[in-house]
Amino acid sequence: MTIQELERLIALYGKDIFSFCVHLTGSGQEAEELYQDAFLKAVERIADIREDGNQKSYILSVALNLWKDRRRKFAWRQRIAPEKELSCGGDYPEAETAEDVLSGLLREERLRTVREAVGRLSDRYRIPVLLYYMEELSVADIARIMRIPEGTVKSRLGAARKLLKRELEGYFYEERTGAGVV
């Protein structure tokens, strides 16, 4: 694979990979660093990226492994010299007309609630959910990225759905009936 082909990959999958990095880190600044490092690592390993393989999955797996390494290093540093972990929220587009304001706010509130619920899942459930629903990867691709069996991916997705349903059930039920949640 040439540098020009890597540039093509960035043009094709860059937004998806950056979005995945934002969801992993919960911080725009950390996501930018992770995104850049993932593509730098891809440049280092340019020979490993097969043209006939799923190139997006390969770069997502690089980003995931870099993030896991950072988390391990952060945890180790926390044991030695604790510090606070910072995170910032996402940016959402504003509605353009007065009619769109309320529906836009409600939609954003629902999205924020779901994102927060997904963010509270443990990594073993959150990562497959992000890869499956956000990146629209197949179970086989997720299994390859996470280096776990396909059956494990399926069971983690199922368990995550149950956890999310249980957590969000009250919110969306109350929202539909108008019983207090906006």
Side-chain angles (χ1 to χ4, degrees), residues 102-114:
L102 183 58
S103 64
L105 287 173
L106 289 173
R107 182 175 53 255
E108 291 303 322
E109 173 68 17
R110 282 187 229 112
L111 283 171
R112 185 185 58 75
T113 302
V114 171

Side-chain angles (χ1 to χ4, degrees), residues 172-179:
F172 286 106
Y173 172 75
E174 290 172 359
E175 183 180 87
R176 281 193 306 268
T177 62

Side-chain angles (χ1 to χ4, degrees), residues 52-64:
D52 60 340
N54 191 334
Q55 298 163 336
K56 179 180 176 183
S57 293
Y58 180 81
I59 298 170
L60 285 170
S61 68
V62 168
L64 180 61

Side-chain angles (χ1 to χ4, degrees), residues 51-121:
E51 291 184 36
D52 60 340
N54 191 334
Q55 298 163 336
K56 179 180 176 183
S57 293
Y58 180 81
I59 298 170
L60 285 170
S61 68
V62 168
L64 180 61
N65 289 331
L66 287 170
W67 176 76
K68 285 180 179 179
D69 288 345
R70 288 179 181 177
R71 296 244 333 200
R72 273 193 293 274
K73 288 176 186 175
F74 180 79
W76 181 252
R77 277 189 240 123
Q78 285 294 90
R79 283 185 228 131
I80 297 169
E83 64 181 64
K84 285 191 173 183
E85 188 172 342
L86 301 175
S87 66
C88 61
D91 297 325
Y92 302 107
E94 295 182 24
E96 293 181 9
T97 66
E99 290 179 3
D100 291 338
V101 172
L102 183 58
S103 64
L105 287 173
L106 289 173
R107 182 175 53 255
E108 291 303 322
E109 173 68 17
R110 282 187 229 112
L111 283 171
R112 185 185 58 75
T113 302
V114 171
R115 283 184 185 127
E116 287 174 356
V118 169
R120 284 190 294 272
L121 292 172

